[in-house]
């Protein structure tokens, strides 16, 4: 894993105010200014596709507050990744899990302080699309009650989500009036160039920056589907920095989002194999490439089940039947594992007897979606009944599983065509075209074209 200081690499994102009739652009500074002039509510819902920079924006806000640059009239800025929130009914209880074990503050202390100082508290909930609870007036979850505006009304709140969960707020009249809806559109052309030049300037490889910028500007697919997304830019920068000139030339011929993302996965596997061979001397690198591929296949069913359950984090115990594959995937970089010592107070509150808890996660939902598509491909070949059950679930929520359908359709002509033939019966014809493009076959084009 490569780490770069946020201050050295962060580049502003394009943010649009959707409440405005003209979709007015919002600057980072305007987003956080509360001087009565910004025409934004106390509650902001920021939507954007996966990898567009929502989480990084949240981290930037929290970091700038810690550094004394912004929001210094506030006592607390709380950044809460919703993917990590499980069965918690109190904000204090959530915050307590992030404090060091030596910190004597209790969740009751934290809840009491927040309640008494609401106007000086800023809560950032990141990733509502990764949260497994629904909006409900009867929910006991404090997160839901805050989002529903039932409690903590006078504190500032930011919520981020992928677009498919935004409608839950827009369709509720009370919530639609309570929130300002913003859209992160990622990098514009100027932002993109700035980010890439910063990335390579740190490494003293400025010439690499210019060749990558040229590639991204000249390739239609990259420019339209990847360039605006910081996560893809970061991945492409990492690859551009490490691969040979011949490999860079080959990459420039790729035509679909799925192919480019597949190239990123291949790069991670190659990077893993080269490290293993370096450690074990004269091992065959192909052996370890196959090992990485097998490991990803072994966890693919868990990845798919997690998507259906809106779950991106898993207890390590869930991988007990594929423990070696889990370890390999962690080394490849498509899984991460975090182990935490559970305090006596937390064991008492949660009825957990173990001293250590282990959580396995995908570093980003896109990795989970890509790996899940491998299991769908396996079912298509080996288990027609189960495949049809899975396909029915995917097509019942196509916007939610957009990227799974992209990756799955791109994996084979017959599989892609089978999905597209069902999709064309739906009302979303533009989405059918997108999936057919990812399939990238003449048969898929005809299937859509006939409609």
């Amino acid at each position: 894993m490569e780490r770069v200081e946020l201050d050295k690499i962060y580049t502003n994102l394009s943010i649009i105010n959707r409440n405005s009739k003209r979709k007015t652009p919002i600057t980072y500074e305007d987003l956080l200014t509360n001087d009565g002039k910004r025409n934004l509510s106390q509650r902001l819902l920021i939507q954007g596709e996966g990898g567009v920079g929502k989480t990084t924006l949240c981290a930037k806000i929290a970091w700038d507050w810690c550094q004394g640059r912004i929001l210094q009239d506030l006592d607390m800025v709380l950044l809460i990744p919703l993917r990590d929130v499980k069965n918690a009914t109190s904000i204090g209880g959530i915050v307590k899990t992030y404090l060091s074990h030596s910190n004597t503050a209790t969740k009751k202390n934290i809840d009491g302080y927040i309640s008494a100082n609401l106007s000086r508290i800023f809560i950032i909930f990141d990733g509502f699309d990764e949260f497994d609870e629904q909006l409900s007036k009867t929910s006991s979850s404090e997160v839901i009650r805050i989002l529903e505006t039932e409690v903590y009304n006078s504190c500032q709140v930011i919520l981020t989500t992928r677009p498919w969960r935004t409608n839950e707020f827009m369709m509720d009249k009370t919530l639609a009036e309570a929130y300002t809806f913003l859209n992160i559109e990622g990098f514009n052309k100027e932002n993109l160039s700035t980010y890439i030049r910063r990335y390579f300037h740190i490494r003293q490889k400025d010439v690499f920056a210019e060749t990558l910028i040229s590639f991204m500007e000249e390739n239609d697919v990259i420019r339209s589907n990847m360039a605006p997304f910081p996560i893809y830019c970061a991945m492409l920068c990492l690859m551009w920095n490490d691969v040979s000139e011949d490999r860079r030339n080959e990459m420039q011929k790729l035509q679909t989002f799925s192919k480019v993302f597949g190239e990123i996965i291949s790069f991670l596997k190659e990077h893993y194999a080269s490290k293993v061979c370096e450690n074990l001397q004269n091992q065959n690198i192909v052996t370890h490439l196959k090992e990485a591929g097998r490991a990803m296949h072994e966890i693919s069913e868990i990845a798919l089940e997690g998507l259906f359950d809106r779950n991106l984090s898993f207890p390590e115990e869930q991988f007990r039947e594929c423990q070696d594959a889990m370890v390999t995937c962690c080394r490849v970089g498509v899984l991460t594992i975090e182990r935490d010592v559970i305090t006596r107070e937390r064991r008492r509150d949660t009825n957990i007897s173990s001293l250590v808890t282990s959580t396995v996660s995908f570093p980003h939902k896109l990795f989970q979606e890509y790996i899940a598509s491998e299991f769908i491909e396996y079912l298509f070949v080996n288990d027609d009944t189960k495949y049809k059950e899975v396909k029915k679930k995917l097509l019942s929520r196509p916007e939610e599983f957009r990227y799974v359908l992209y990756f799955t359709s791109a994996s084979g002509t017959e599989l892609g065509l089978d999905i597209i033939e069902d999709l064309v019966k739906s009302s979303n014809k533009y989405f059918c075209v997108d999936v057919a493009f990812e399939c990238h076959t003449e048969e898929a084009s005809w299937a859509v074209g006939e409609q």
Side-chain angles (χ1 to χ4, degrees), residues 104-377:
T104 59
T106 65
K107 63 180 182 181
K108 186 175 181 180
N109 296 151
I110 300 168
D111 283 328
Y113 186 86
I114 293 173
S115 297
N117 298 275
L118 288 177
S119 63
R120 299 177 65 82
I121 306 297
F122 196 137
I123 304 178
I124 306 171
F125 293 115
D126 182 37
F128 186 60
D129 55 289
E130 299 171 2
F131 191 44
D132 59 3
E133 295 194 41
Q134 305 293 319
L135 292 180
S136 170
K137 302 296 183 184
T138 60
S139 175
S140 61
S141 166
E142 193 160 85
V143 171
I144 294 297
R145 295 183 68 211
I146 292 171
L147 297 180
E148 288 268 18
T149 69
E150 292 182 19
V151 295
Y152 289 15
N153 280 341
S154 56
C155 75
Q156 297 181 61
V157 173
I158 284 180
L159 173 68
T160 73
T161 183
R162 284 194 187 187
W164 64 270
R165 290 207 76 175
T166 303
N167 279 347
E168 294 178 41
F169 291 82
M170 299 188 78
M171 298 301 289
D172 184 302
K173 184 177 180 180
T174 301
L175 298 183
E177 292 176 353
Y179 286 83
T180 296
F181 294 87
L182 306 177
N183 190 61
I184 293 186
E185 300 190 341
F187 290 152
N188 57 29
K189 184 177 180 180
E190 182 181 348
N191 296 149
L192 172 66
S193 300
T194 300
Y195 178 87
I196 294 173
R197 288 187 177 114
R198 285 179 179 176
Y199 183 97
F200 286 105
H201 183 71
I202 296 169
R203 295 157 182 78
Q204 299 181 335
K205 294 182 178 180
D206 296 303
V207 66
F208 278 35
E210 302 311 315
T211 57
L212 179 56
I213 291 170
S214 177
F215 163 55
M216 296 182 78
E217 288 179 347
E218 293 172 3
N219 186 301
D220 290 343
V221 173
I222 299 296
R223 185 176 66 248
S224 300
N225 298 299
M226 301 192 81
F229 294 81
I231 190 172
Y232 307 141
C233 295
M235 291 176 180
L236 288 169
C237 284
L238 181 63
M239 292 178 64
W240 213 254
N241 183 64
D242 286 4
V243 302
S244 66
E245 183 177 355
D246 288 343
R247 181 71 171 274
R248 289 195 290 271
N249 291 335
E250 286 300 313
M251 284 174 58
Q252 295 183 50
K253 300 175 184 177
L254 300 175
Q255 295 183 305
T256 69
F257 171 81
S258 299
K259 292 294 184 185
V260 176
F261 197 85
E263 187 73 10
I264 290 169
I265 296 292
S266 296
F267 171 74
L268 291 176
K269 291 193 286 190
E270 291 165 13
H271 190 60
Y272 157 77
S274 65
K275 287 192 297 182
V276 173
C277 288
E278 185 178 314
N279 294 337
L280 300 180
Q281 307 259 317
N282 52 15
Q283 294 273 342
N284 186 344
I285 193 169
V286 175
T287 300
H288 297 293
L289 285 173
K290 291 180 179 179
E291 177 191 11
R294 283 194 300 270
M296 290 169 62
H297 176 71
E298 286 185 45
I299 68 166
S300 62
E301 183 174 7
I302 296 175
L304 181 62
E305 290 174 350
L307 289 173
F308 286 145
D309 295 336
R310 294 172 179 166
N311 188 17
L312 282 80
S313 298
F314 310 85
E316 186 176 357
E317 174 67 16
Q318 196 161 342
F319 292 85
R320 64 184 180 278
E321 294 182 3
C322 54
Q323 184 76 19
D324 291 342
M326 180 203 72
V327 172
T328 298
C329 287
C330 287
R331 291 173 177 167
V332 171
V334 296
L335 281 180
T336 61
I337 185 166
E338 182 177 342
R339 293 187 170 91
D340 187 29
V341 177
I342 304 177
T343 64
R344 183 178 301 175
E345 180 187 16
R346 282 180 61 198
R347 291 202 303 275
R348 184 181 65 247
D349 292 343
T350 57
N351 295 319
I352 296 175
S353 58
S354 175
L355 293 175
V356 178
T357 180
S358 299
T359 303
V360 180
S361 307
F362 290 87
H364 192 275
K365 194 173 182 179
L366 282 166
F367 288 99
Q368 184 173 355
E369 290 166 323
Y370 184 91
I371 292 172
S373 71
E374 290 197 8
F375 187 67
I376 300 169
E377 182 180 7

